[in-house]
Amino acid sequence: MSRSDEVVAVLRDRMASGRLRPGDRAPSTRAIVREFGVAMATASKVLARLRDDGLVATAPGRGTVVLDPSATARRPDALTVEAVVAAAVAVADAEGLDAVSMRRVGADLGVSTMALYRYVSDKDDLVLRMMDAACAELAPPVTAGGWRERLELVARELWSGFRRHPWFAGVMSMTRPQPVRSAIPFTECALEGLRSAGLGVGPALTAYLGLMNLVRGLAINIEAELAEEATSGLTADEWQQRQNRDLAAALPRERFPRMHELLENTHDFDLDDVFEAALTAYLDGLVVQIWAVERRRA
């Protein structure tokens, strides 16, 4: 038996006897060096062995901690990164992103909270993987066709992803974009279309970000509306009908004739219709911009 095997056996015994309980900090490499008189490389090997065996994991802000062996042993095959992410997505889809926590996901999977740290480093890592999984569900972009067809495809696929996962739009950042790997083909598709249409690198990026922020900005309302409907029990149309009478009474007709006209001829509100109208208007504007570029080059 090697020296690292001996140390692993001692630490395993401590975990089995309860001297090291689930959630306790495991000995650090320096502590192992001091207690057992081994080299730093051997101490690192010991922790790696314990980690590979599912007995310890790295927890953000706490270092290496002891896991619950009974929890990790219950589901040796079912618990994977994909299973953890899928469980988190299911919680977010049903209850919103605020309901997602390492504790909640672990409970849904039937494992301890600490067991999850073998698969994701923290909640930020989990959310990033959730975003990647949501994008991976989208139909892959088709590189054929003109710039408008490409942008329509990208925008509509992204919209469908936001519709399917209402929390998605709220976590996507435009100013500090996250490295979502499965989203890169869509960005490449859109930028290639805009560049091939004659826009420079900067204008193409601006046009693409404008389109993405338009879609995302509209989609942020999806989760808010679902939350409001769940709280009030009223759909958007039902809520608006209740508000129209009070709003009409508060607005002088002579000063706000168009508002009264709108209130008296209320149409059902459909966010998908707003998306289609906004998308068409935005792309029509790009037609003018691209036409001007072509004219200058002619």
Side-chain angles (χ1 to χ4, degrees):
M1 179 182 291
S2 68
R3 189 69 176 119
S4 63
D5 290 335
E6 293 175 357
V7 177
V8 168
V10 171
L11 295 179
R12 278 179 173 274
D13 182 67
R14 290 178 185 176
M15 294 175 193
S17 65
R19 292 173 60 191
L20 280 175
R21 297 174 298 177
D24 287 349
R25 292 188 64 177
S28 65
T29 51
R30 292 186 181 278
I32 293 173
V33 168
R34 287 196 301 269
E35 180 178 356
F36 296 97
V38 297
M40 185 66 72
T42 301
S44 298
K45 186 176 181 180
V46 167
L47 289 180
R49 280 274 306 279
L50 294 174
R51 191 176 296 112
D52 290 342
D53 290 342
L55 296 176
V56 301
T58 302
R62 298 192 61 200
T64 302
V65 297
V66 178
L67 300 179
D68 181 355
S70 63
T72 56
R74 282 201 301 271
R75 301 169 64 100
D77 298 322
L79 193 59
T80 61
V81 173
E82 292 75 17
V84 171
V85 173
V89 169
V91 173
D93 287 350
E95 303 175 36
L97 193 65
D98 288 344
V100 177
S101 67
M102 301 296 277
R103 182 185 298 275
R104 169 63 187 278
V105 174
D108 284 3
L109 288 170
V111 300
S112 69
T113 301
M114 299 311 303
L116 299 184
Y117 289 110
R118 294 182 61 198
Y119 304 92
V120 294
S121 59
D122 52 28
K123 185 176 178 180
D124 288 342
D125 180 34
L126 177 59
V127 171
L128 181 62
R129 292 175 183 272
M130 290 167 63
M131 295 172 65
D132 193 55
C135 280
E137 296 174 358
L138 305 180
V142 179
T143 56
W147 69 266
R148 183 162 187 148
E149 289 78 10
R150 286 171 179 251
L151 265 62
E152 285 181 345
L153 181 150
V154 169
R156 289 199 171 94
E157 280 302 310
L158 185 60
W159 179 255
S160 71
F162 289 151
R163 271 297 200 185
R164 194 176 304 122
H165 304 292
W167 50 269
F168 190 6
V171 297
M172 178 181 285
S173 175
M174 298 301 298
T175 57
R176 298 184 180 184
Q178 302 94 330
V180 181
R181 293 183 180 180
S182 56
I184 293 175
F186 293 91
T187 302
E188 179 69 18
C189 175
L191 291 176
E192 173 60 29
L194 291 166
R195 291 287 286 121
S196 64
L199 295 184
V201 175
L205 176 62
T206 298
Y208 171 68
L209 291 179
L211 177 63
M212 291 300 96
N213 206 39
L214 182 150
V215 179
R216 173 182 173 273
L218 286 173
I220 286 176
N221 294 286
I222 297 173
E223 185 174 32
E225 176 54 35
L226 290 175
E228 181 62 31
E229 184 172 333
T231 301
S232 67
L234 300 174
T235 66
D237 294 333
E238 291 169 340
W239 182 89
Q240 189 61 57
Q241 290 172 6
R242 289 194 177 190
Q243 299 300 312
N244 283 356
R245 182 179 302 174
D246 293 340
L247 187 58
L251 298 176
R253 181 181 291 273
E254 62 278 8
R255 184 177 176 185
F256 302 103
R258 296 307 180 192
M259 282 296 298
H260 274 269
E261 181 182 59
L262 179 64
L263 294 174
E264 292 165 2
N265 297 275
T266 302
H267 299 283
D268 290 342
F269 177 78
D270 190 314
L271 200 57
D272 290 314
D273 290 343
V274 176
F275 163 73
E276 288 294 338
L279 176 61
T280 298
Y282 187 85
L283 295 178
D284 285 349
L286 283 181
V287 169
V288 177
Q289 181 181 353
I290 291 172
W291 175 80
V293 171
E294 293 175 343
R295 187 175 181 182
R296 286 197 298 269
R297 289 182 174 180

